[in-house]
Structure formats: C-alpha cells, structure tokens
Amino acid sequence: PSRSEKRLEQVREFYRKTGETAASDYSIKVESLVLEGAPPEVIVNTARERKANLIAMGTYGKKKWKVLLMGSVTSRVVVDSPCDVLVVKKPCTECIGKYDSITLPFDGSEFSKKALNRACEMAKIDSAKITVIYVIPRYEEIIEFFMTDSIKNGLFKEAQKIIATAKGIASGHGVSIKTEILEGHIEEKIIETANKLKNNLIIMGTYGWRGINKAIMGSTTERIIINAACPVLVVR
C-alpha cells in the first residue's frame, strides 16, 4: 500500500507540472485526474460523464508492443468512445494543433458523411485543403472471380457517383475539395495518399462498429492508426 500511494503521488505531481506547462504555453485551463481501473473503460466513462466532445491520445506503449497495446487500449477507446477520438503519434514539438492538409476516405455511408462534415468545419478554421478519396477494392484478391471490363466500368461509375456526393456535401459548406478514385487495399491507399501529399491529418468515420462489425476496426482503421505518419481523427 505504501508503494502504491507513493507511486500515485509521483503521478499526480507529474501531471500537475505537465498541466502548468500546458497552461503557460497555450493559455488553457488544465485539470488533471489520476484514476484507477482498466484504461479503455476509465477513459471512455470519464469522457461520457464529462460530456467531452474529443478524446486525444497517443497509441500507447513501445514500438515492439505497439500492435498488442494498440489493440488493447487505443482501439477499444475508438470503438466505444461517445465522441471523436484524435490519435497522435508525432513528437510533441511537431504537434502544433493546426491541420491544414487533410486526407479523408469517403464511401458514401452516413459515417463517412459525418467525417466529411467535420473536415469541412475544420477547413474553415485552418483553411485546410481536403483530399477525398474513394478506393475501389480489388475483389479478385478477396474472392476468386474474373474482373471483366463491364464490371470495372460499373465499379468506376459507382465511384464517380459517390465522389459526386462528397463534392455536394463540401459545396454545401462552401468548401472546395480535391478528389481521387483509387484501386487497391483501402488502408494502404489512404496512408499512401496522406504520405504523398504530406498531409498532417487523416479523418475517418467509424463505419458502424457494433457487434461483429468491430472486426472492421481491427482490419482497417487500426492498421491506419498504427501505420499512418500523421495524426488520425476518428469521427463518431
């Protein structure tokens, strides 16, 4: 018990100093809480109790453990969070809080529409350039079938309709966006595009993670968060 109390006091002192530094550097009020329990549950419950509109966090842990810890902490927060989650991996010296170059995957779903609306709101604040991408999956790599020209044309026309929807949403906000239609694995193309354009933020929707759909988190968004060079904002 004495060791535990000493440890808690050290943590409280660390956060007190950190809060003072943040308050001094950014002129903001910082309240520090030291709580016990399973990190994902405590973080989510605290955000819900305080009606937070953003959870900002790192990916947790050292590099060699990043996949395991990402799965057990950050991804669980993202899945269960009542609000948007910003995951940052850059060094503190590069975290200036300004996002003026954004990559946003869009598939026409309500979740991606929410993400695009949020991106447009941010674009008005930082005059951000938004690149919206739609990725046509390589179905032949998932299931064995022959991709004919008519199927390719059909998929491309569908992609154009989805991109047109994105342009309409952005236009409603008075925001101009760039668009790209790509083919391949969605997480690879998102990261590739963000790196190529030197974007400083990726914004994504939650894609309805409930029940078995949480597997989508493991296969797509989690990989993006782990491998992206820039912060990722997951919009609820």
Side-chain angles (χ1 to χ4, degrees):
S2 60
R3 274 188 170 185
S4 178
E5 185 58 34
K6 184 177 180 181
R7 171 68 173 165
L8 286 174
E9 283 302 319
Q10 289 174 339
V11 173
R12 290 190 186 101
E13 178 63 13
F14 170 78
Y15 280 115
R16 185 186 66 77
K17 290 180 179 179
T18 302
E20 289 177 353
T21 300
S24 173
D25 290 349
Y26 301 104
S27 299
I28 58 174
K29 182 181 178 181
V30 178
E31 180 185 4
S32 299
L33 299 175
V34 179
L35 307 171
E36 292 185 81
E41 294 175 11
V42 173
I43 293 168
V44 169
N45 289 339
T46 302
R48 188 173 287 114
E49 289 167 5
R50 291 174 172 253
K51 296 180 181 179
N53 52 30
L54 180 70
I55 295 174
M57 60 193 306
T59 50
Y60 273 75
K62 298 178 181 178
K63 287 185 177 180
K64 65 179 179 180
W65 296 107
K66 65 179 181 179
V67 176
L68 172 63
L69 290 170
M70 171 65 196
S72 65
V73 180
T74 308
S75 66
R76 285 177 58 190
V77 171
V78 171
V79 169
D80 296 325
S81 172
C83 58
D84 296 354
V85 180
L86 176 66
V87 183
V88 180
K89 294 191 298 180
K90 283 177 171 281
C92 288
T93 52
E94 296 180 32
C95 297
I96 60 173
K98 183 177 180 180
Y99 302 110
D100 55 12
S101 182
I102 298 169
T103 290
L104 189 143
F106 187 85
D107 63 1
S109 67
E110 290 304 311
F111 312 104
S112 62
K113 288 177 183 178
K114 282 185 180 181
L116 180 54
N117 282 318
R118 180 75 78 251
C120 290
E121 291 168 4
M122 294 178 68
K124 292 179 179 180
I125 297 171
D126 288 331
S127 300
K129 296 178 181 178
I130 303 173
T131 301
V132 173
I133 65 172
Y134 177 79
V135 182
I136 301 173
R138 287 180 176 157
Y139 293 108
E140 65 272 25
E141 295 180 6
I142 304 171
I143 55 176
E144 293 184 7
F145 83 105
F146 182 67
M147 179 75 82
T148 63
D149 289 339
S150 61
I151 291 175
K152 287 182 179 179
N153 290 335
L155 290 173
F156 186 74
K157 286 180 180 179
E158 180 65 21
Q160 288 179 313
K161 288 180 182 178
I162 291 171
I163 287 296
T165 299
K167 288 180 178 179
I169 292 172
S171 178
H173 284 275
V175 174
S176 177
I177 62 173
K178 292 182 179 180
T179 62
E180 288 190 35
I181 297 174
L182 307 171
E183 184 180 357
H185 298 289
I186 184 167
E187 60 267 23
E188 292 178 2
K189 291 301 176 182
I190 292 170
I191 293 170
E192 187 179 289
T193 300
N195 290 342
K196 179 181 70 176
L197 299 176
K198 296 182 179 179
N199 291 148
N200 48 33
L201 184 67
I202 294 171
I203 300 182
M204 302 185 64
T206 56
Y207 297 88
W209 299 325
R210 289 293 181 269
I212 195 167
N213 285 336
K214 288 185 179 181
I216 297 173
M217 171 64 189
S219 64
T220 303
T221 306
E222 191 168 20
R223 291 180 189 170
I224 292 170
I225 292 173
I226 290 172
N227 296 305
C230 63
V232 178
L233 176 64
V234 183
V235 176
R236 301 297 301 182

